[in-house]
Amino acid sequence: MAMTSDPGASPYQGYVYAYPHKTAYRPLDPRPSLERVWADEPLGRLFLYLHIPFCEMRCGFCNLFTRTGAPEELVDAYLDALERQAGAVRDALGDPRFAAAAVGGGTPTYLSAAELTRMFDLVEKITGADLRAVPLAVETSPATATADRLAVLVERGTTRVSIGVQSFVDAEARAAVRPQRRQEVETALGLIREAGFETLNIDLIYGIDGQTETSWRYSLDAALAWKPEEIYLYPLYVRPLTGLGRRARDWDDQRLALYRQGRDHLLAAGYEQVSMRMFRLPGRSSPAEYTCQSDGMVGLGCGARSYTSDLHYSYEYAVGAGAVRGIIDDYVRLPAEEFAVANVGFTLDEEDRRRRHLIQSLLQAEGLDRAAYRDRFGAGVEANFGAELERLAVRGWLEPQAPEAREEPGAGSGRIRLTAEGLAHSDAVGPALFSGRVRALMAGYQER
């Protein structure tokens, strides 16, 4: 993941879905016990994330921690390991309370209906989480959104299903190395709607080889026909060690044009923009919305990360198929005591805690609440990041502020928001706000 501190270098430097990125994580030495890591953390409103690292195919654009073609015995061994990990985490945390949960991957519905049932049973029994009582999101794919699997999701209280369609045009799906047919997609969407989930999210990708404004409009309208509560628009990235990454080229202008077209089309259709990627029907909030600024996250599974107020941790990270398989093979053999410690991670100092709050607030359409920032960090955001914000303002990427709102120490009310063009450049804004320490660690990461 190449990054630069110059937000004008390219509009597509990196998707900042978490700060810092996993490529800034390093082995922890000594490895702290989870009991110590969580000792002083609030445990009343945690987010539970389960990672299933299996897929039926490897899409050309995919950089997820996942493997294809996992045999049944490996899935069984993985669920055994998940059970051991859940027990160790429960022992370390004592009596956690979960306010929301999500199952991601990979493709969680790669698991059979029986395997999904086992997964939910062991997690609820061991962690004490009542997944039927909290918002629960699960990811799926057209090939695995079968009636029997969806029935399990309904029975276990799933409120949001997210399906990666990417394109309703068969030729574009093939170009993205996702060989699926439109009829398969429509069948899966029909089954999801028949199941009656509260929220359907459809993921689409723009910037695919051969995609035009006409074909992009076709996919947008095909998605809108299902009246999804949420739609995510993702720019195609080509990354090292992924299929499309081996023939990367510069197509920034095309992606920006398609993004603007998609954004305007969804806004005209009555959706509201939540971030560069997320659009939803007005009056709704995501059923598994996670307050990333204040809540802790407990991750279970070999690719899951966990967050406390000052430590983000996980297991080893990789993208290449061979390295991923090796990490999964190691994970399923770990004894219970190995799950009682944090292995790989990043300790956030005060600067990175401020930057995390700034980035994850600013990349949302509602922006950063000045008063909340001051209450949390004891100073106005301009006092900490005045130069960075000024660089964004000069580019026209920040909404204009009244002079008194920018002055210290009086700044403490109102919000700082990106303009529409600033949101369009979110994948440059986020990386530009990374700390020098994070940037250096990411630059030193060896792709594998």
Side-chain angles (χ1 to χ4, degrees):
M1 176 178 276
M3 299 268 182
T4 172
S5 60
D6 177 11
S10 167
Y12 299 105
Q13 295 179 31
Y15 176 20
V16 185
Y17 53 87
Y19 178 79
H21 189 267
K22 266 191 175 181
T23 53
Y25 291 14
R26 293 294 184 270
L28 299 172
D29 185 18
R31 297 184 301 168
S33 69
L34 297 190
E35 184 175 6
R36 179 162 67 84
V37 166
W38 287 94
D40 298 320
E41 297 292 317
L43 302 177
R45 288 188 53 81
L46 297 174
F47 187 98
L48 179 63
Y49 178 74
L50 310 177
H51 177 244
I52 304 298
F54 306 122
C55 286
E56 75 279 7
M57 70 178 79
R58 180 83 174 198
C59 302
F61 53 83
C62 178
N63 77 326
L64 296 177
F65 184 96
T66 188
R67 66 156 288 177
T68 60
E72 183 178 345
E73 56 268 23
L74 178 60
V75 175
D76 287 342
Y78 187 83
L79 293 176
D80 288 343
L82 195 69
E83 186 169 8
R84 296 193 297 275
Q85 185 182 15
V89 169
R90 177 61 186 263
D91 289 345
L93 271 63
D95 189 24
R97 292 287 184 267
F98 296 98
V103 189
T107 306
T109 49
Y110 179 87
L111 272 59
S112 68
E115 290 163 345
L116 286 168
T117 298
R118 181 188 169 197
M119 178 195 73
F120 284 122
D121 282 346
L122 73 87
V123 168
E124 287 195 327
K125 178 181 178 181
I126 296 172
T127 68
D130 183 357
L131 298 180
R132 295 178 181 85
V134 302
L136 171 62
V138 181
E139 297 174 7
T140 190
S141 69
T144 62
T146 57
D148 58 339
R149 292 175 170 101
L150 295 175
V152 173
L153 302 189
V154 169
E155 196 275 328
R156 305 314 287 247
T158 303
T159 52
R160 177 182 184 269
V161 168
S162 179
I163 182 168
V165 172
Q166 319 315 353
S167 175
F168 284 85
V169 179
D170 290 351
E172 290 179 3
R174 289 194 299 272
V177 197
R178 187 185 181 100
Q180 66 189 20
R181 296 191 177 276
R182 169 76 180 272
Q183 186 54 53
E184 181 182 47
V185 173
E186 297 288 343
T187 298
L189 288 168
L191 290 171
I192 291 170
R193 275 311 196 197
E194 289 173 14
F197 298 101
E198 179 181 329
T199 297
L200 164 64
N201 172 73
I202 296 176
D203 290 345
L204 298 176
I205 284 182
Y206 54 92
I208 299 170
D209 191 29
Q211 192 175 48
T212 66
E213 291 187 2
T214 300
S215 66
W216 178 227
R217 171 71 177 262
Y218 180 85
S219 281
L220 291 166
D221 286 338
L224 288 171
W226 290 98
K227 298 180 174 59
E229 286 72 26
E230 297 176 3
I231 299 180
Y232 275 68
L233 305 183
Y234 288 95
L236 178 65
Y237 270 92
V238 290
R239 296 178 171 92
L241 306 183
T242 63
L244 294 176
R246 298 187 178 93
R247 51 190 185 89
R249 68 191 191 282
D250 184 353
W251 74 117
D252 290 350
D253 290 345
Q254 183 211 16
R255 284 181 289 179
L256 273 175
L258 294 176
Y259 161 77
R260 292 174 181 134
Q261 177 192 358
R263 174 198 63 197
D264 295 347
H265 194 57
L266 294 184
L267 293 176
Y271 285 74
E272 63 181 6
Q273 185 168 17
V274 179
S275 66
M276 173 185 164
R277 287 166 171 77
M278 182 181 180
F279 297 79
R280 69 184 174 200
L281 292 176
R284 304 184 64 88
S285 60
S286 176
E289 203 159 280
Y290 169 53
T291 308
C292 59
Q293 313 297 1
S294 58
D295 297 345
M297 185 163 87
V298 174
L300 299 178
C302 67
R305 69 184 79 203
S306 297
Y307 301 150
T308 69
S309 58
D310 61 3
L311 179 66
H312 293 184
Y313 64 91
S314 67
Y315 288 92
E316 289 285 349
Y317 172 73
V319 174
V324 170
R325 286 173 180 252
I327 293 172
I328 294 172
D329 289 345
D330 289 342
Y331 173 86
V332 301
R333 291 193 291 262
L334 289 175
E337 60 268 20
E338 282 295 308
F339 292 115
V341 294
N343 291 276
V344 177
F346 180 92
T347 301
L348 285 79
D349 59 20
E350 183 65 16
E351 178 191 356
D352 279 311
R353 284 192 288 271
R354 294 194 303 263
R355 287 186 181 274
R356 175 175 180 254
H357 188 107
L358 172 66
I359 292 167
Q360 295 188 333
S361 297
L362 200 58
L363 297 187
Q364 301 295 306
E366 67 177 8
L368 182 142
D369 184 322
R370 279 193 172 88
Y373 183 94
R374 177 181 288 277
D375 288 346
R376 183 172 185 183
F377 298 108
V381 64
E382 283 87 355
N384 295 146
F385 301 109
E388 289 93 333
L389 294 174
E390 181 60 27
R391 284 195 291 271
L392 298 178
V394 167
R395 291 187 174 275
W397 292 353
L398 284 185
E399 290 185 357
Q401 302 290 324
E404 61 272 15
R406 297 195 300 267
E407 294 173 358
E408 294 295 339
S413 62
R415 289 183 174 273
I416 301 176
R417 294 186 178 90
L418 294 176
T419 61
E421 197 60 16
L423 276 177
H425 287 78
S426 291
D427 287 4
V429 171
L433 297 174
F434 286 9
S435 70
R437 180 168 71 113
V438 166
R439 200 180 308 281
L441 285 167
M442 294 177 68
Y445 176 77
Q446 185 65 44
E447 296 279 0
R448 64 191 187 97

